[in-house]
Amino acid sequence: MLDLADVTANPTHYEWFDFKPNVKKLILAGAPETEHVAILWYTVPDGHVGLHRHNKTESVYVIDGSQTDGKGAYPKGTVYFNPPGSGHEITKSSGFFLLAYAAPPDFAHTDGIGEYTPVRIDTADPKLMSAPAPDAARPGPHTMDIPLESAGGMSGRFIEISSPQEHYEYLGNYLLVLEGSCQVSGQPLGKQALVVAKSVKPEPFEVAAPAAGACLAMGVSF
C-alpha cells in the first residue's frame, strides 16, 4: 500500500533507480525487464525520454505534473493507455507518473511503430461514471471496463461503490482510489492511495465503501 501524496512530497524516501538521464523509476511489482508496475519521476522541469515502442499495452496515470508526447499533453489526473504496436517520444514533462507495462518499453525496434490512438480518460471528470451500468436494474457496485485491446495483455476497470452494504472483488495488479475513500481488503484508504499486488500475478482485492460516502477506484490487471 502506497500513499501517492507522500511519494510526491517525499520522493527521496523511496528506492529509485536511474531509468534515463534526469528520469528515475521506482519498481512496485515485477522487474524492469518484464511486465511491471512502477512510478516514474522526472527530476527536471523539462524531462525527456527518447523514442520507444510498446509491444503490449502501456498504462500511464499522471500523479502530479504533466506528460507530453506526439499525441498531446496529459495533465494531472489523466490516465491514458497506449495499445500494442504504439510508440512515442516524451518531451516537456515533469512530475510523477504511475506506470503499468504489459511488456517493457523497447528502445531498439522503433521502426515497427504503427499508427495508433491512445485511450485517454480524465479521472476527475464528474461524468466519468454517468453512463448507466448494464445491470442498472439490480443493486450493487457500478463498474465500467476501459476499452483496451485484448492482445495488449492488460485490462482496466473503474469501480464505484455508494453503499457500505455493497462489496466488489477485483482481480488485478493494482487499485488506485480516485475519489472518496475505499475499504480495500479490510484497510481504509483515502484518495490517491494505491494498493499493488506483490508480484505480476493478479491478486484479489475486496473493495467496499465506508459507512458514509462513496468510493471510486481504478483497477489495472495483466
Side-chain angles (χ1 to χ4, degrees):
M1 296 184 181
L2 200 65
D3 180 358
L4 297 186
D6 186 67
V7 173
T8 60
N10 302 293
T12 57
H13 294 178
Y14 299 86
E15 296 181 0
W16 307 83
F17 73 90
D18 291 322
F19 174 58
K20 296 292 177 183
N22 302 313
V23 186
K24 294 183 179 292
K25 183 179 278 192
L26 173 66
I27 297 292
L28 303 178
E33 66 275 8
T34 68
E35 59 185 4
H36 58 267
V37 179
I39 295 177
L40 204 66
W41 172 26
Y42 292 98
T43 60
V44 296
D46 186 9
H48 176 271
V49 175
L51 182 66
H52 55 278
R53 184 178 189 270
H54 294 290
N55 297 313
K56 291 191 174 183
T57 300
E58 172 200 39
S59 168
V60 180
Y61 171 79
V62 183
I63 300 170
D64 188 61
S66 66
Q67 189 171 87
T68 301
D69 67 5
K71 300 297 182 179
Y74 303 95
K76 181 179 178 178
T78 304
V79 62
Y80 71 94
F81 297 82
N82 286 326
S86 63
H88 56 169
E89 179 181 8
I90 298 170
T91 60
K92 301 178 182 177
S93 299
S94 63
F96 298 81
F97 307 86
L98 175 61
L99 308 177
Y101 288 135
D106 183 352
F107 291 86
H109 301 97
T110 57
D111 55 342
I113 296 173
E115 288 296 322
Y116 72 97
T117 300
V119 175
R120 173 176 178 153
I121 301 170
D122 177 6
T123 63
D125 184 351
K127 297 181 180 180
L128 175 64
M129 301 294 288
S130 61
D135 57 353
R138 295 188 287 111
H142 181 185
T143 65
M144 183 175 71
D145 286 339
I146 300 170
L148 304 178
E149 295 183 23
S150 59
M154 182 185 294
S155 63
R157 180 172 296 169
F158 292 103
I159 303 162
E160 183 179 48
I161 302 177
S162 56
S163 167
Q165 284 75 43
E166 297 173 353
H167 296 263
Y168 185 84
E169 186 172 283
Y170 178 70
L171 184 67
N173 290 84
Y174 80 68
L175 269 175
L176 173 64
V177 181
L178 296 172
E179 293 293 341
S181 61
C182 301
Q183 293 273 350
V184 180
S185 299
Q187 296 291 325
L189 300 175
K191 184 177 179 179
Q192 293 291 285
L194 175 70
V195 183
V196 183
K198 293 179 180 178
S199 72
V200 292
K201 182 179 180 181
E203 295 182 8
F205 300 107
E206 185 182 55
V207 189
C215 163
L216 177 63
M218 178 180 69
V220 167
S221 181
F222 297 137

